[in-house]
């Protein structure tokens, strides 16, 4: 029997149950289920929370990423065959958004300490076809955006931030999603701000981009039955928007709890077979995942499982090694591949009790080879 769940969504949402049910009831009674006032309200609330002008609700995080690149193509800023710089150790969605737009992903080795892109490494991958940098704020840790934006300016590149894991992370008091030309968020149930279904959002300060994305996600239409683009159907529905408005209010509190747990892990886990993640600036990390590294992963998983502590691997296979990406299978990315063999995610969630936190710490500390 498990003592500590990896992530218990029922417990997370139970706390807000009556508010969530009120929100759903309000939408049911309104008779309006798509593109209505709940969506408008949540778009405004979330873009205000991040600190940008426009929020465009879409069906999920993958669509958010895909539609930004698609819109830049429609605007003539990029075209098929252009290169997009992205870290090789990301979740596959970041790469799918690139290849589905007939763009070329340039797999960049991450900084193994932050798991993110570093500006110095990016610079060595830039060619005459490079048009976009796509930094993924992996595990909830915002990338070093000041230095990445410097590289982008120097080489005149667009920046699309993948913020699917980093709602609310900030650097120099500026939140994830405000640094680049546009940013994509996911509200998949397991994300730090999770819907009770699928949902996503693009945020940007660019009014033109915002209009095109809104149109592309609605069959390429600006006005009813007039289609300017070959669009798709990608909308954030009223019920999800209403529930996300409820949950957004509690996001800062939930982030603080995650940061508190990470702080305790950082201070109290003490085992020289395990390397802990960097924890130098509290506000830069919102701890979607707490990812440690160890050369003894299989043994540690077994030990923790025996102790009743659930763990997961994010991620077991990098995108370029996936069967679906056979064309990239031969790429030589030793830093990325080593990370995929050594990373392990410990439980971290706003509903973990102090007792559970202590049990995880004690269990990790009692691990021997
Ligand atoms: C979850 C995730 C996505 C995709 O979000 P969905 O809502 O599941 O489509 C994209 N990028 C990263 C880094 C993610 O973790």
């Amino acid at each position: 029997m498990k003592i500590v769940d990896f992530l218990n969504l029922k417990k997370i949402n139970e706390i807000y149950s009556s508010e969530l049910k009120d929100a759903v009831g309000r939408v049911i009674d309104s008779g309006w289920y798509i593109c209505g006032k709940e969506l408008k309200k949540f778009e405004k609330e979330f873009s205000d929370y991040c600190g940008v002008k426009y929020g465009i609700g879409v069906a999920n995080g993958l669509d958010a990423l895909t539609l930004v690149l698609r819109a830049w193509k429609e605007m003539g800023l990029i075209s098929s065959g252009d290169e997009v710089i992205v870290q090789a150790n990301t979740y596959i969605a970041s790469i799918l958004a690139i290849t589905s737009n007939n763009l070329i992903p340039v797999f960049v080795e991450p900084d193994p300490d932050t798991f993110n892109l570093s500006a110095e490494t990016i610079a060595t991958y830039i060619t005459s076809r490079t048009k976009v940098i796509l930094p993924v704020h992996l595990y909830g840790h915002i990338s070093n955006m000041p230095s990445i934006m410097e590289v982008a300016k120097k080489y005149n590149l667009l920046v699309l931030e993948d913020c699917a894991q980093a709602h609310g992370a900030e650097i120099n008091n500026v939140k994830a999603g405000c640094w680049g030309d546009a940013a994509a968020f996911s509200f998949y149930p397991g994300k730090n701000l999770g819907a009770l279904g699928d949902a996503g959002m693009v945020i940007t300060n660019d009014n033109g981009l915002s209009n095109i994305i809104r149109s592309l996600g609605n069959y390429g239409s600006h006005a009813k039955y007039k289609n300017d683009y070959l669009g798709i159907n990608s909308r954030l529905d009223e019920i999800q928007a209403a529930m996300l408005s409820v949950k957004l209010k509690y996001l800062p509190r939930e982030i603080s709890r995650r940061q508190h747990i990470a702080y305790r892990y950082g201070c109290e886990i003490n085992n020289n077979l395990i390397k802990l993640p960097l924890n130098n600036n509290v506000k830069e990390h919102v701890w979607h995942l707490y990812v440690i590294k160890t050369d003894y992963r299989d043994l540690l998983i077994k030990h923790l499982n025996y102790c009743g502590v659930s763990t997961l691997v994010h991620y077991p296979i990098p995108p370029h090694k996936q069967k679906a990406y056979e064309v990239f299978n031969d790429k030589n990315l030793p830093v990325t591949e080593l990370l995929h063999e050594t990373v392990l995610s410990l439980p971290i969630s706003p509903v973990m009790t102090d007792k559970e936190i202590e049990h995880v710490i004690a269990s990790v500390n009692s691990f021997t080879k």
Side-chain angles (χ1 to χ4, degrees):
M1 207 191 72
K2 289 281 173 238
I3 301 172
V4 185
D5 293 316
F6 188 78
L7 182 68
N8 188 325
L9 291 177
K10 185 173 189 294
K11 265 192 200 161
I12 286 178
N13 290 315
E14 222 160 44
I15 303 169
Y16 315 122
S17 175
S18 73
E19 269 190 273
L20 290 171
K21 285 173 184 167
D22 283 351
V24 173
R26 190 169 70 234
V27 176
I28 292 173
D29 294 344
S30 77
W32 195 283
Y33 308 116
I34 288 280
C35 299
K37 55 178 195 259
E38 298 290 345
L39 175 61
K40 249 203 189 80
K41 176 167 172 279
F42 178 62
E43 286 175 337
K44 170 92 172 64
E45 287 168 351
F46 190 71
S47 52
D48 282 353
Y49 169 77
C50 295
V52 297
K53 282 192 200 147
Y54 308 105
I56 308 102
V58 295
N60 54 62
L62 173 60
D63 282 0
L65 288 163
T66 307
L67 286 171
V68 172
L69 296 172
R70 172 76 196 283
W72 282 340
K73 287 181 85 177
E74 296 291 349
M75 293 165 86
L77 298 173
I78 58 175
S79 45
S80 295
D82 284 343
E83 294 174 358
V84 179
I85 284 184
V86 62
Q87 73 239 54
N89 58 323
T90 183
Y91 179 59
I92 198 166
S94 324
I95 311 298
L96 287 170
I98 298 169
T99 56
S100 68
N101 275 297
N102 296 314
L103 300 162
I104 314 291
V106 176
F107 296 96
V108 173
E109 295 272 40
D111 172 345
D113 291 327
T114 62
F115 304 104
N116 283 338
L117 285 176
S118 86
E120 302 80 68
T121 323
I122 291 173
T124 66
Y125 286 82
I126 291 172
T127 73
S128 58
R129 294 299 319 242
T130 309
K131 290 290 163 59
V132 179
I133 306 175
L134 200 167
V136 184
H137 307 314
L138 207 61
Y139 308 145
H141 190 181
I142 188 169
S143 311
N144 188 338
M145 291 312 292
S147 65
I148 290 175
M149 292 314 294
E150 249 173 60
V151 177
K153 264 200 199 94
K154 185 167 166 199
Y155 295 95
N156 197 24
L157 307 174
L158 292 162
V159 175
L160 167 55
E161 295 175 68
D162 184 339
C163 300
Q165 305 188 355
H167 320 70
E170 61 181 69
I171 187 165
N172 303 345
N173 294 315
V174 179
K175 285 205 169 65
C178 293
W179 290 88
D181 300 280
F185 284 86
S186 164
F187 308 115
Y188 174 81
K191 298 289 158 83
N192 282 19
L193 178 58
L196 282 78
D198 273 315
M201 193 175 289
V202 174
I203 64 168
T204 180
N205 283 315
D206 181 339
N207 185 38
L209 176 68
S210 153
N211 287 333
I212 293 174
I213 289 171
R214 199 173 285 290
S215 163
L216 283 170
N218 191 25
Y219 292 105
S221 169
H222 281 295
K224 204 163 186 176
Y225 305 130
K226 281 189 72 182
N227 303 83
D228 302 332
Y229 311 103
L230 298 173
I232 61 169
N233 175 357
S234 184
R235 301 183 286 225
L236 201 177
D237 66 74
E238 290 288 283
I239 286 184
Q240 295 303 335
M243 289 194 283
L244 282 163
S245 279
V246 170
K247 291 191 69 181
L248 178 59
K249 289 189 291 180
Y250 303 104
L251 180 63
R253 184 178 82 187
E254 294 198 350
I255 290 173
S256 300
R257 181 69 184 164
R258 287 176 185 272
Q259 288 167 338
H260 171 75
I261 297 168
Y263 180 76
R264 285 203 62 182
Y265 284 173
C267 296
E268 295 172 54
I269 292 179
N270 186 355
N271 185 326
N272 58 17
L273 302 176
I274 286 152
K275 193 161 188 303
L276 299 179
L278 285 182
N279 190 9
N280 45 7
N281 184 326
V282 168
K283 287 180 161 183
E284 288 180 14
H285 212 318
V286 292
W287 303 102
H288 173 57
L289 295 168
Y290 191 90
V291 178
I292 62 164
K293 286 181 281 189
T294 175
D295 293 333
Y296 308 95
R297 185 167 71 188
D298 289 347
L299 286 175
L300 179 60
I301 292 171
K302 249 172 112 178
H303 168 78
L304 292 177
N305 194 45
Y306 177 78
C307 298
V309 174
S310 314
T311 56
L312 288 174
V313 174
H314 297 91
Y315 299 90
I317 306 169
H320 74 278
K321 287 290 183 195
Q322 296 287 354
K323 181 159 173 272
Y325 278 134
E326 229 164 345
V327 285
F328 302 128
N329 282 180
D330 291 337
K331 289 209 176 290
N332 182 31
L333 294 157
V335 176
T336 298
E337 284 157 32
L338 183 64
L339 282 177
H340 284 261
E341 282 163 25
T342 53
V343 291
L344 184 68
S345 307
L346 300 181
I348 188 161
S349 90
V351 292
M352 275 177 85
T353 62
D354 289 347
K355 229 180 104 201
E356 286 177 320
I357 297 165
E358 279 145 27
H359 183 66
V360 172
I361 293 165
S363 303
V364 175
N365 285 343
S366 67
F367 173 61
T368 55
K369 278 189 261 179

